[in-house]
Each structure stands twice: as C-alpha cells, then as structure tokens.
Amino acid sequence: MLEPHTVPPACVTEDAFAALMEISKRPPVVFVEGRGSWLTDQEGRKYLDFIQGWAVNCLGHCPTAIVTAIKSQAEQLLNCSPAYYNAPMIRLAELIARYSGLHRTFFTNSGAEAVEGAIKLARKWGQIHRGGAYEIVTMHHGFHGRTLAAMSASGKAQWEHLFEPKVRGFRKVRLNDIEEVERAITANTVAVMLEPIQGEAGVFVASDAFLRDLRALTRRHGILLILDEIQTGIGRTGTLFAFQHAGVEPDVMVLAKGLGGGIPLGALVAHKDACCFAHGDQGGTFNGNAFATAVGCAVLEEIAKPGFLAGVAEAGAHLAKRLTELSPQYQCAEVRGRGLLLALNLQSEIGPQVAGLALQRGLLINAPRPDTLRFMPALTVTRQEIDRMIAILGEVLKELLP
Ligand SMILES: *Cc1c(COP(=O)(O)O)cnc(C)c1O
C-alpha cells in the first residue's frame, strides 16, 4: 500500500493560478495523477482521497472499467448530435430504467442541469394536470446545485440574499416534518423535492418513515415526488438508489456525480406518467453524447456486478464503526449517514483546521460545515485505506484537541 507523506506541501506561488477566476480558497497543491483511493501531486507526494471529487469518482481514480470504456468509445464515436440516437445513450437509458423501476431518461451534463430539468418537467406537468400550479415544496438546508433555479430550490442559508431576484415558486419546510410539508401544500403545489440524505448540509438523513409518508402524501394530493439522488445514487448508500432503503419509488429522480464516475454526466429520470415535455421544451447541445453515456454504462455495469453493493455496505459499516470508536476519544459526537456517505459531528468548529492539517499529512477530507467532517471515499475503498484514514484523522485531532 502507498503511504501518504507527512511533510507539509511546499508552496506553489499564487501567481501560477492568476489566470483562473477565484471562486474559493484552494490549497496550493496541483494534482497530476490518481489511482483508486490515491492522488499524486506534481511534487510526487501521495494523498489518500476521502472526497473523490465530492462523491463523484465512485470507482476511484482512473478505474480500469472507465479507462477501457473511454478508449474504446473514443475510437468509435464521441458525439453526433442530440437530434439523433446513438448506441450508448440508448443502452444507458435502458440500464437506468431496469435498475430504478422508472421509465425514461433525459441526459444532462451536470447535476444542476438535471435539477433544472426536473423543475421544468414538474411545471409543465402542473400546466397540463393541475391547472397551472407551479410551486415546489423543498427542504431547508437542501442543496440542488448552482444554476439560478437550483439555487432558488436549495435551502442554503448563505444563499438566501445572493443573486436576487431568485426564481420564484419554492416553499421551504423542515426535513423529517411531514406535518409541515402537508401544511405547505396548496392548490398551487406541483411537487415535493428533496435529497434522501442532505449531503452538502452536513449529511442529514431523511428517515425511511418520512420518505414513505411523503410518498403517501404526494399520492393523496396528486402531486409529484422528486428525489435528488445526485449524491446518494449509484451505490453510495449501499443500495443502487437511496430510495430503495425506504421501499418507495419517486415519480422523478435526478442523478449526476457517481453516474459518470468522474466525467460530466447527469440524468433526469421519470415515471412514464410524469413525462410530458413537448418537442422543443427541453434539450442541450452535449446532452446524451456517446462519450459520456458510454462511461455511464461502464459505471452501472461495474456497480451491478454481484457483490459490489454488499461490499459498499460492508465498507460503510467498517468506516462507521471506526469513526464511532474514534469519536469519544476526542470529545466528538454522533456519526451520521448511510453506506459510504458519512459524517462525524466534531462538537466544535474545527472542521476547516482538521481538513487543512489532514491535507498536510496526505489526506483529503471535507468539512461541509465548521463542526462536521464528511466522508465520501471511492465505493471501492479498502479496509486498510479506511484504517489508514482513521489513523491520520486521529493524529490530527490529537494535535488540535490535546
Ligand atoms: C452536487 C449536487 C448537485 C449539483 O450537481 P452539479 O453537478 O454540481 O451541478 C445537486 N444536488 C445534490 C444533492 C448534489 O449533491
């Protein structure tokens, strides 16, 4: 096994990055190579990656299945036009339908674009079936992406006054409060949209009971249930889709992140009864291109292999156990989440420092909020890699909380 370095990264000068628009504070490290759970920077230092592009690289860095699919598709056909069918587009839509129980897919280039599509589909559906109703009930602290409508649908407090005016038509309620959802539904409501686990918010799980109650409630009111499985889908929680834990089926689901395993690919997936776009309502230049959808096929075929999802559940249980053992040693609190989407409540606002010190010791880890660490390794992460991560995290916490 590769060992991470223990010396702090040498500073690359800030000038080197001047041609990039600054959208966040990035550490002065430049990555040049990745294999499985490991990254290498341009100085040759190794890092254990428990972020994986924000739960994107579900098979780890540069997995053989994806590299092979890319090479063979690149030699065959990259792109024709969204106005024509291509073979991988059809095959991936069939795979998604077979595994999800839903019927039809529209492919996108990102998660936010799939969410936009879901909002448009719901509004169109409202025009046809609910007398022009357009409002969508979403959750406080929810995250649906960074286009204007997706930001407006999100419940991120820091975004409340950003980029005004927002897109109208979203009503926010508390996660896991079915009565509040019911009170928010009016004649103007077309859908309820939520994440099965609020990842960006810090890994807060929508309970199975809440999802089942929502399914019953939306059926009773004749409105759509839209699940944002962009972070939770494609095996992340130990089932192919997180809704399978609750035994419910949404009317509409959006996917991205893991679906492309590291290349840009999203999907708007719907029950046939919810599909109501007329020609010209929806489209996009790159949507459903052969290159991206061939990669999506390779990802789904890997994850559907016998034993793969059981392996995710096992790795998730091991990670949860190790975090639960670590927690009381450093006055931390609960471990939240499911499968390989887990969080540790640090009890104090040291998350960014933990992430910073971890990076210096060769570990990539994310603090979605100041008091929380989030763990979203490759679904192929090994027990040894989990144990190695716990060892580094323990050293960092010891340094910060003597
Ligand atoms: C990442 C994410 C999005 C946005 O996806 P992009 O590909 O970044 O546009 C939307 N919803 C959820 C739940 C996500 O985790």
Side-chain angles (χ1 to χ4, degrees):
M1 188 180 77
L2 297 167
E3 285 296 314
H5 62 84
T6 48
V7 280
C11 257
V12 186
T13 73
E14 293 294 327
D15 289 354
F17 313 118
L20 286 165
M21 199 177 284
E22 188 162 324
I23 46 108
S24 67
K25 187 77 206 140
R26 292 179 170 124
V29 175
V30 179
F31 290 110
V32 293
E33 208 184 306
R35 285 284 174 282
S37 288
W38 296 87
L39 278 166
T40 308
D41 73 12
Q42 65 178 16
E43 317 280 330
R45 286 176 297 244
K46 305 280 181 215
Y47 300 77
L48 180 55
D49 188 358
F50 268 63
I51 294 179
Q52 288 288 359
W54 269 265
V56 165
N57 310 322
C58 53
L59 304 177
H61 291 283
C62 300
T64 308
I66 292 184
V67 172
T68 308
I70 287 176
K71 283 183 177 161
S72 91
Q73 192 60 42
E75 282 168 357
Q76 225 173 332
L77 176 69
L78 290 174
N79 178 50
C80 43
S81 152
Y84 300 94
Y85 293 116
N86 67 64
M89 162 209 273
I90 295 168
R91 171 148 178 71
L92 183 54
E94 280 173 357
L95 286 174
I96 292 172
R98 183 192 310 163
Y99 293 132
S100 70
L102 297 173
H103 304 103
R104 292 183 193 134
T105 292
F106 171 77
F107 291 109
T108 66
N109 309 297
S110 70
E113 194 189 355
V115 168
E116 285 284 323
I119 294 166
K120 284 165 68 177
L121 189 70
R123 287 187 174 193
K124 183 75 195 267
W125 187 86
Q127 281 196 337
I128 298 171
H129 299 290
R130 269 182 72 88
Y134 61 82
E135 207 166 72
I136 300 178
V137 177
T138 62
M139 305 294 137
H140 289 301
H141 309 293
F143 180 85
H144 299 292
R146 293 171 177 279
T147 60
L148 261 183
M151 284 183 92
S152 307
S154 299
K156 212 174 146 121
Q158 304 93 297
W159 287 0
E160 208 175 313
H161 302 293
L162 203 57
F163 309 133
E164 294 298 322
K166 288 279 187 344
V167 176
R168 290 189 303 121
F170 299 98
R171 186 182 290 218
K172 313 281 157 64
V173 296
R174 275 195 307 266
L175 183 71
N176 290 329
D177 186 339
I178 193 71
E179 270 115 49
E180 198 179 334
V181 180
E182 178 138 40
R183 282 196 300 275
I185 294 173
T186 68
N188 198 26
T189 308
V190 274
V192 176
M193 177 165 77
L194 75 160
E195 304 150 86
I197 298 176
Q198 292 187 332
E200 289 302 306
V203 188
F204 293 96
V205 180
S207 73
D208 291 346
F210 181 62
L211 288 178
R212 282 194 287 267
D213 288 347
L214 269 183
R215 181 63 286 188
L217 183 69
T218 48
R219 287 237 162 89
R220 201 156 69 239
H221 285 270
I223 60 176
L224 301 173
L225 177 61
I226 304 173
L227 289 183
D228 181 341
E229 289 253 15
I230 290 171
Q231 193 158 146
T232 52
I234 317 298
R236 179 60 45 191
T237 68
T239 52
L240 193 51
F241 306 107
F243 67 72
Q244 291 165 330
H245 292 290
V248 299
E249 199 172 88
D251 302 296
V252 177
M253 157 172 83
V254 285
L255 298 172
K257 294 209 161 88
L259 181 61
I263 65 110
L265 178 63
L268 164 63
V269 188
H271 191 282
K272 60 180 168 20
D273 296 343
C275 293
C276 56
F277 283 141
H279 292 180
D281 286 353
Q282 182 67 327
T285 304
F286 295 118
N287 300 46
N289 71 81
F291 175 77
T293 50
V295 173
C297 291
V299 168
L300 273 189
E301 278 158 9
E302 277 301 297
I303 290 182
K305 281 185 178 162
F308 187 97
L309 289 169
V312 175
E314 242 170 68
H318 182 64
L319 177 56
K321 173 173 169 282
R322 295 301 319 265
L323 287 171
T324 306
E325 289 163 359
L326 181 87
S327 177
Q329 295 174 40
Y330 300 101
Q331 297 86 50
C332 299
E334 85 280 3
V335 175
R336 299 188 293 263
R338 212 160 206 176
L340 284 171
L341 180 55
L342 295 175
L344 173 66
N345 178 351
L346 293 165
Q347 287 273 63
S348 56
E349 306 212 326
I350 55 169
Q353 286 142 277
V354 173
L357 284 176
L359 183 74
Q360 290 184 12
R361 291 170 184 269
L363 170 67
L364 266 62
I365 209 166
N366 166 247
R369 35 189 282 166
D371 66 354
T372 301
L373 294 179
R374 177 171 42 163
F375 305 86
M376 41 194 159
L379 303 183
T380 52
V381 70
T382 64
R383 285 172 85 92
Q384 290 82 346
E385 287 161 350
I386 290 170
D387 293 344
R388 181 73 201 139
M389 185 282 292
I390 292 285
I392 301 174
L393 183 58
E395 286 169 23
V396 169
L397 289 173
K398 198 169 183 178
E399 194 174 326
L400 281 173
L401 305 164

